[in-house]
Amino acid sequence: MKKEDVPQQGGLNAGAREVSYAVDSNGRYILESSVGWEAKNIALSQAWEEIVDQLRDVIAAIKAGKKSPLAYYMVKSQMDPALLAQYCGIARWRVKRHLKPAVFAKLSDSDLTPYAELLGVSVERLRTVPDEPPLTEFDHSEKENS
Amino acid sequence: MKIDFPHRQFAHCESGVTANLFNYHGLPCSEAMAFGIGAGLFFAYAPFIKINFLPLTTYRTAPGSIFKKTTRRLGIKVARRKYRDPKVAEAELDQLLQSGRPVGAQTGVFWLPFFPPAYRFHFNGHNLIVIGKEGDDYLISDPIFEETVRCSAADLLKARFAKGALAPKGKIYSIEKMPERVDLPEAIEAGIREVCRTMLKTPLPMVGVRGIRLLARQLAKWPEKLGEKQTILHLGHVIRMQEEIGTGGGGFRFIYAAFLQEAAEVLQNDKLIGLSQRCTEVGDLWRDFALTASRVCKGRETVQDSFDGLAAQLYQCADREEALFTDLRAAIGR
């Protein structure tokens, strides 16, 4: 890659600039600052769209009474029951049970504390679910394209 | 308390950490040089290992190995520790900082607040250097950022004890003693020989040049096997592994080309200049592949034609790399 070909296509990196290796006019390698590249931006935003899709699905499942609100926070932090169990020090089978609405409804505040601490939200908030996935949290593209 | 640490921004975390630590301890070293001596260049496609629920494609060796190999090859003495108890891990880090020593740490990206939100995935092989503590904040030299950053003690502890694949278990490392003199040419040659060996001779079908061909074969089957949505996700994942923050572009091939250019001077070997140019060309091919692939992702085309085309691009990368590393080994000799 030549120095002048280092792409400068801003995207999802919230203003952070990274460096790319490129060749200058004398054929020497240099480090050139870059704000992003189209190919990367597409791949990255696609990964986030997928998470937003999953969040939509899980919200629908919770509203339909098939899953507990904990499922929403699990998906939001890109975890599966196994990873969530490891983080909270709770057995995986118990985490899976907590994903059931009927079981979740009976959980005390102290049962939910490990989850709340890990995810940095209050216990009350763990019991509620938004109507729509929080798009703004992931999508920084508009701010950065200026 | 803050160590006077010269922060330099680089493309890749671990080779950047290695180079910056060497530099601090009195051995001027570029990132490319650390990457080359540490034999960081690699390829593997391991569909049975999942990252973010998708198959692992990697263009570099396992986290930790670059630092391990560079220090070993240069005869640098290192102190390394993992922990079970986060409290002990934090106390020992503070102690090392108090004694004035910068400390490298392996962390999970997901918990680091100074990362752009869009990059915060569960990837646990990220390296950074802790260079001080002010109140409840750690001061950090993370080589992929322009400036040093701050991170609260609670967040850093979470990141050091991230769970899942490649869990860091609080791992920290620092340099205990630099050698009297280093044998740079010998270390460079050892690094080059290792890369040639892993890329050409690993007796596993998913590693090295054979791994690239395996990916090409499998990728051509994705549209039929996985359905549209999964196919696009799989392809996007390959691009991210190749190009996202930390690879220096072209799946580390450009960093390696820069290393070969430096090595040519140290070894007084003009053949390496030509090989560096060829490595750049291979990097350009990988970039072309990523660009085509991203357009397929964006256009949501899962038509077989575009996937056959992508596979052909990968076969070309594999052929060129096979020739490159064969000639590279010959240029180094032995």
Side-chain angles (χ1 to χ4, degrees), chain B residues 33-52:
Chain B
M33 190 47 85
F35 186 78
I37 294 175
L41 196 87
F42 190 63
F43 185 89
Y45 171 66
F48 46 88
I49 303 174
K50 307 283 190 218
I51 301 275
N52 285 311

Side-chain angles (χ1 to χ4, degrees), chain A residues 1 7 12-13 17 19 21 27-29 37-40 44 46-48 50 77-78 86-87 118 140, chain B residues 9-10 31 111 117-118 120-122 146 158 162-164 229 232 240 243 257 261 265 280 284 287 297:
Chain A
M1 182 164 55
L12 301 146
N13 48 358
R17 276 190 303 187
V19 290
Y21 279 78
R28 298 291 306 173
Y29 260 98
W37 186 35
E38 179 198 351
K40 295 205 286 199
L44 190 58
Q46 172 193 304
W48 283 110
E50 167 62 14
S77 47
Q78 305 160 44
Q86 269 188 39
Y87 266 116
L118 174 77
H140 294 253
Chain B
Q9 189 188 15
F10 286 125
E31 174 189 34
W111 303 103
R120 288 170 67 181
F121 287 92
H122 290 283
E146 285 172 272
K158 262 187 184 171
K163 305 279 200 278
K229 191 171 177 196
I232 296 294
R240 286 178 45 215
E243 294 295 337
Q261 199 171 63
E265 254 170 59
T280 305
D284 287 334
R287 298 272 294 190
C297 283

Side-chain angles (χ1 to χ4, degrees), chain A residues 8-17 35-36 41 138-146, chain B residues 116-118:
Chain A
Q8 304 292 350
Q9 290 143 345
L12 301 146
N13 48 358
R17 276 190 303 187
V35 296
N41 296 337
F138 306 131
D139 187 9
H140 294 253
S141 51
E142 285 186 18
K143 266 187 281 177
E144 306 310 322
N145 271 342
S146 56

